[in-house]
Structure formats: structure tokens, C-alpha cells
Amino acid sequence: MAEKRRGSWGEGELYDALCLLMIGACCWIIGAQFHAFGTLNHFILAHGLSDQLMLGFFMGLAMIVVSLRKSLKLRLAMRERDATAARAEAVARHDALTGLANRRLFLEAVELSRRATGAEPSSAVLLVDLDRFKPVNDLYGHAAGNAVLCTVAERLDGLLPARGVAARIGGDEFAMLVPLEGGSEALARLAQAVIGSIAAPVLWNGNALRVGATVGIALITGEDVDAEVVLHAADLAMYQGKKDGRGTYRVFKSAMDVELKARAQLESELRAAILNGEIEPFYQPVVSLPEQTLIGVEVLARWRHPTRGLLAPARFISIAEETGLIADLSYRLLRQACIDARDWPAHLQIALNISPQQFQDTWLSERILAILTETGLAPNRLEVEITETALVQDLEAARATLTSLQNLGVRIALDDFGTGYSSLYHLRELKFDKLKIDRSYIDTISMSEERAKLVDAIIKLSASLGLVTTAEGIETNASVDWLATQGCDFGQGYLFGAPMPKSEIDTLVSIDPEVAKSCLAA
Ligand code: G
Ligand code: G
Ligand code: MN
């Protein structure tokens, strides 16, 4: 299309040409009027030039100017087109925000490197995933997030060895392609330097923004099928690093692939299991102290897997959390627990564990209320257990969610107390109803005087804030007696009963309280 147009007259060009021809003709008329051609005839030429010839000469001159102009314009247009194409190409292969290579260009570079590699790896890919980037974006806004990304890009670029490529391959995901010149030690040093440099705060509008990085490394070998495979391997290694506690680096090992496939399998099974009702509530007795009478239960998820048997939450809760299935799982569990609890004496309470992800949902209390209304369970029979991880993201949002739940009459327990990192801070800032002392403290009461003093201090602290206290993981008569003496209000643990299915807890609640007490202690 463009080729065809180049040779023919464009719009306006014909008009330009006619104008120039007119100007040529005018020059001739003026020249003839003033006898300018006579002088020319006299000096240059022996024979007289006819007027017609002079007219032809001026018209021809005009035509030459026309075609010169046209070719000049064409050349300019072509140059501009090439520049635009080059610019478009650069844009398509670079990240607009940071100016680093984008995923496409990076994959091309990895592919080139892979093809040039023999049996021994000669280069490596470092996948750099930012930790805690989302809170920066959420708390300070996108401009702050962008500032962090640009700074990270600069720092990576600064660490890049000669002939390396740095790229931004996703929202908060960066990658480096580096030659393996200094061996695995140099690679480890580079990974460490990347983690260290990204951990340094980014100054933005007077704020020190802090993110971290987890690095996954994959060596490029000739055996890799293509660049995507290399990147996937680095991704698996990075994922392992996140699991091992962030701010670290891991080098890909083929075992990771096996583990990840097993996890993907479990994930798809879990999806179906939730829909099929394979996740069922187990109930662990909670007793009052010092009477040791049953006052309620904690709801604990169990997966009745068709082939693998009864699975503990440690096997599937984290998967449910990472895949967003946790809310569905949890609400189904709550609905079942509410239905089960309707058969029990009305003073028995149920305690439900809520994940940090669910706590981010601003409709949490509405959803819980809907289930209570639907099943007819009184809100004051429900207790929600949250861990401190649920509170660190956004304190104001947490406060609003806590308050709206408490306004329904639902009580809030702070679970696993003593394992978080800012327990006192959250106790001061937010209003809870109960504090559950983590099992690890109760285990060690009998070990030393210091441990006992610590548990005693937690009980006193809780009382002074107007909260009641539950001790988790009670296994011996000695610890229950000691806890009761210190003023601990409630107890939970194998001494009173392990988590059990509905049929067993039904039996326990249906018998006479005094008999039940001896059953619990047995
Ligand atoms: O029952 P067990 O001790 O294996 O439970 C281990 C952990 O799993 C407990 O600390 C508990 O907090 C968690 N857990 C059990 N059920 C649920 C649930 O329904 N939702 C969430 N978020 N966590 C649960
Ligand atoms: O963190 P959370 O309170 O949700 O943990 C409860 C879990 O602790 C239950 O799933 C149960 O398997 C486990 N548990 C309950 N009682 C005891 C106990 O007495 N000793 C030990 N070791 N674990 C217990
Ligand atoms: Mn709990």
C-alpha cells in the first residue's frame, strides 16, 4: 500500500506542482516584459532564443524543483518511519517504567545463551522477587511503589556484571542473566549482594520504604528445552526460598520440580474436596479452670481424603491460603459447626480459626453474620481466633473488622500468643476478648523457673487488660494445677481431649456434666 503511494502524486502535491509551474510562467512573462532575455541573448548566445524556448526553460526548471522537493520529502518520511519503527521495537522489548529489558527481550537473551551452551553451564538466571512490596503499594500509593521499582532496577543494573542482562519480567519480579565466570561462589556472592542492596531503604518523600528480595537461581545448560524452562526452574528455586523464609536465595534442584508437581496435584484435589464436603470440622474441648468443665470447643479442619486418610490442617491450610480457597473452606466449616452446635447445650461455645487473608476481607463480619442467621446460632456462642499476622497489614482496617465482629456479639481471641513479633503493640492498640497462650510456652512450664515466670506474667498481663486467658496444649495434671493457681481462666489440650469428630463430641456433651468431667480428665 505504502509502496504504491510512494511513486504516485499525493494529495496537495499536484497543487504544489501547478503553483510552481505558474511561478515559472510568471518569471518568463516578467523577464520578457523587461527584455531581460535580450541581454542574455546578447552576451551568451550568438543566435536569438525564441520566447517559446524561454517559456519551456522556465517550466522545466519549475518541474525540476517540484521533483527535487518531492524526493526530499519522501526521504524525510522514510527516515521518520525507520525511527518510529526502531522506537516501537525498543518499547516492545523494554519495560516502560524502569527502562530495563522486558520479559520478551530477556527470554530472547536466555535463548541465545542456551543455544551457545554445551554440556557445562556457562551462564545463570537469577530470578529476583520482591518481598513486602504489596504493603508499600497499599500504604503509600502507586507513586511510592513505582519509586521502589525504579530504585531496585537501578541497583540491579549497578550489580550487573559485564555482558549481563537485567530485566523486569513481572510486577515485582526482576531477573538477571549473568555469565558464570567466577564459578558458583561468585554467583552466590552476587545473589547475596542483590538481596543486600534491595534491603536498603528507598527514600521517598521523607519516608524510608523497605522491601526485601528472594532470589531463585537456575544454571543454563544445553539440556534445557527452551528459555521458558530455565525461567521456570529459577521460579521454583525462588518459590523454595520464599518457603524457607524470604530474604534468601536458592539454586534450582530437580527435586523441587517433583515437590511442586505434588503440590499442584494436592491443590487441584483440595479445590474439589472443598466442593465435595471432604473437609470436615473436628472439635477440641475447651474447659474452664479450675473446675475443668466443658465450656466449648475449638473447630479444627480435617480433610477426609478418599485415598490418603485423614489429613491434618498443616497439610492443606497453607495451600488453601495461597490459592484463595481458604475463605470458601472456612465458611463451609463454620456453617457445619453451627449446625452441629445447635444440638449441644446453649452454653457451649465454638471457636473458629480465621486466616490473615480472610481478615483482609472488609465484608468478613457480614459473611459471618449471614451464616449465623442462616443456621440460627446465637452470635455470642461464636468466638473467632486470629493470629497477629492478620493485624500487621493495616491496623485501621483490622480495628474496623474487629469492632464490627464484636458489635455482632462475636468474641475475638488472639491465638498463638507469644509467637508473634509485636504482641504488646497489638494488645495496646486493639481490643480483644481473649488471649490464647501458645502451646510452646505451656510445654515448657515444668522445665524451668524462668519459663513458669513468663507464663505467669502473660496471665497477669491479660487480666490487667481485662481479657480472659486460655492455655493451649495442656498435657499433664501438674501443668493444669499450676495454671489454675496462677489464675488462667481456660484450658485446652490432650489432657482434656484431642480434636475429635462430631460423633465423639456429641457423646461427650450429652452425658452428665460431672461424668463428662471425669471423662475429660481420663
Ligand atoms: O488441628 P491441628 O493442631 O493440626 O491444627 C494446626 C493449625 O491449623 C492450628 O494452629 C489452627 O490454627 C490451624 N487450623 C485448623 N483449622 C483451621 C481453619 O479452619 N482455618 C484456619 N485458618 N486455620 C485452621
Ligand atoms: O494454633 P491452634 O490453637 O489453632 O492449634 C490447635 C492445635 O494444637 C490442634 O489442631 C491440635 O492438633 C494441637 N493440640 C491441641 N492440644 C494439644 C496438646 O495438648 N499437645 C500438643 N502437642 N498439641 C495439641
Ligand atoms: Mn486456634
Side-chain angles (χ1 to χ4, degrees):
M1 197 50 191
E3 291 303 312
K4 198 174 143 203
R5 205 182 286 155
R6 195 182 292 173
S8 59
W9 292 98
E11 210 179 307
E13 282 177 348
L14 201 58
Y15 175 78
D16 285 355
L18 284 173
C19 285
L20 280 162
L21 284 172
M22 288 302 289
I23 291 169
C26 288
C27 287
W28 167 73
I29 291 167
I30 294 165
Q33 281 295 304
F34 290 96
H35 306 287
F37 306 135
T39 334
L40 205 68
N41 270 344
H42 181 81
F43 284 108
I44 301 172
L45 301 156
H47 306 289
L49 286 172
S50 73
D51 282 354
Q52 285 84 345
L53 204 67
M54 284 314 291
L55 177 61
F57 171 75
F58 278 106
M59 300 289 254
L61 202 64
M63 282 314 287
I64 288 168
V65 173
V66 167
S67 55
L68 275 178
R69 245 177 68 110
K70 188 162 150 63
S71 80
L72 199 70
K73 257 187 176 171
L74 251 163
R75 193 158 307 175
L76 277 176
M78 276 162 72
R79 196 174 299 165
E80 196 167 320
R81 190 199 58 184
D82 291 348
T84 310
R87 233 177 294 135
E89 185 65 15
V91 166
R93 300 160 127 255
H94 287 85
D95 172 50
L97 178 68
T98 62
L100 293 185
N102 67 8
R103 190 184 184 91
R104 201 180 116 193
L105 180 54
F106 188 73
L107 281 172
E108 285 172 13
V110 172
E111 182 62 22
L112 280 180
S113 184
R114 185 191 69 81
R115 287 196 187 150
T117 304
E120 281 297 299
S122 63
S123 49
V125 165
L126 280 78
L127 193 78
V128 182
D129 192 271
L130 300 189
D131 302 326
R132 298 179 304 276
F133 177 68
K134 192 174 151 17
V136 168
N137 234 357
D138 291 349
L139 286 175
Y140 297 96
H142 277 270
N146 287 351
V148 169
L149 293 174
C150 290
T151 309
V152 167
E154 275 167 31
R155 290 178 188 172
L156 289 184
D157 210 34
L159 290 170
L160 197 66
R163 293 184 294 112
V165 178
R168 178 176 174 221
I169 59 170
D172 64 348
E173 243 185 6
F174 294 83
M176 294 162 100
L177 170 64
V178 296
L180 262 186
E181 269 148 10
S184 62
E185 264 142 54
L187 200 57
R189 268 199 305 278
L190 177 63
Q192 214 69 79
V194 165
I195 293 167
S197 86
I198 292 177
V202 175
L203 294 176
W204 179 83
N205 279 2
N207 296 298
L209 309 176
R210 282 169 201 279
V211 293
T214 304
V215 178
I217 303 177
L219 303 183
I220 301 179
T221 67
E223 283 158 27
D224 295 316
V225 179
D226 61 24
E228 287 281 4
V229 169
V230 178
L231 220 58
H232 181 64
D235 202 42
L236 294 184
M238 187 276 292
Y239 179 81
Q240 186 65 42
K242 291 247 181 198
K243 232 172 82 181
D244 296 349
R246 291 155 192 270
T248 53
Y249 71 89
R250 289 288 177 271
V251 182
F252 173 76
K253 295 189 184 64
S254 54
M256 290 176 182
D257 210 17
V258 175
E259 190 181 318
L260 216 89
K261 287 207 177 95
R263 213 197 95 100
Q265 165 81 10
L266 204 62
E267 185 186 319
S268 71
E269 286 178 8
L270 180 61
R271 219 171 270 277
I274 294 171
L275 292 176
N276 300 337
E278 285 172 26
I279 313 293
E280 72 175 58
F282 266 44
Y283 302 101
Q284 185 175 35
V286 178
V287 303
S288 65
L289 297 181
E291 308 82 15
Q292 300 189 22
T293 47
L294 186 71
I295 60 102
V297 294
E298 176 173 0
V299 181
L300 293 155
R302 293 291 183 272
W303 182 355
R304 216 173 269 285
H305 194 282
T307 56
R308 297 182 217 206
L310 198 64
L311 301 184
R315 293 286 299 280
F316 60 89
I317 292 292
S318 63
I319 299 178
E321 287 176 338
E322 283 160 30
T323 51
L325 294 169
I326 189 69
D328 202 12
L329 185 158
S330 182
Y331 295 133
R332 281 164 185 264
L333 216 54
L334 174 62
R335 185 172 294 111
Q336 189 56 51
C338 288
I339 292 168
D340 292 350
R342 286 189 309 205
D343 299 339
W344 306 333
H347 70 278
L348 292 186
Q349 311 187 328
I350 58 173
L352 179 77
N353 292 286
I354 290 285
S355 284
Q357 283 85 341
Q358 291 176 271
F359 209 70
Q360 301 303 311
D361 176 8
T362 47
W363 294 97
L364 180 71
S365 64
E366 283 81 358
R367 293 189 213 283
I368 287 177
L369 179 62
I371 294 171
L372 292 174
T373 312
E374 175 199 324
T375 56
L377 193 89
N380 61 15
R381 290 184 68 185
L382 178 66
E383 187 166 273
V384 161
E385 299 190 0
I386 60 168
T387 57
E388 281 184 277
T389 343
L391 309 170
V392 296
Q393 290 267 335
D394 181 349
L395 195 68
E396 283 316 307
R399 198 195 307 277
T401 307
L402 284 186
T403 311
S404 64
L405 279 170
Q406 285 166 328
N407 286 343
L408 297 179
V410 173
R411 274 155 299 105
I412 311 282
L414 187 56
D415 206 359
D416 304 337
F417 186 79
T419 56
Y421 55 87
S422 57
S423 301
L424 290 176
Y425 173 73
H426 287 125
L427 281 183
R428 190 188 70 200
E429 291 295 321
L430 301 164
K431 173 91 187 78
F432 300 99
D433 301 288
K434 182 188 270 185
L435 199 149
K436 295 189 80 174
I437 307 175
D438 190 68
R439 179 163 71 230
S440 58
Y441 288 80
I442 309 302
D443 284 345
T444 55
I445 292 175
S446 56
M447 283 183 195
S448 74
E449 190 80 353
E450 261 93 278
R451 298 296 181 119
K453 277 185 187 156
L454 201 55
V455 175
D456 185 40
I458 297 176
I459 296 169
K460 300 284 183 303
L461 169 73
S462 175
S464 73
L465 291 165
L467 316 185
V468 291
T469 314
T470 299
E472 289 180 333
I474 300 177
E475 295 181 358
T476 64
N477 276 309
S479 30
V480 74
D481 291 343
W482 185 83
L483 285 160
T485 318
Q486 304 311 308
C488 183
D489 305 279
F490 305 102
Q492 186 180 342
Y494 292 161
L495 181 65
F496 314 111
M500 56 186 90
K502 176 180 185 294
S503 57
E504 283 176 38
I505 200 91
D506 276 351
T507 316
L508 198 63
V509 302
S510 64
I511 49 185
D512 180 79
E514 282 308 308
V515 183
K517 199 162 128 182
S518 56
C519 280
L520 284 171

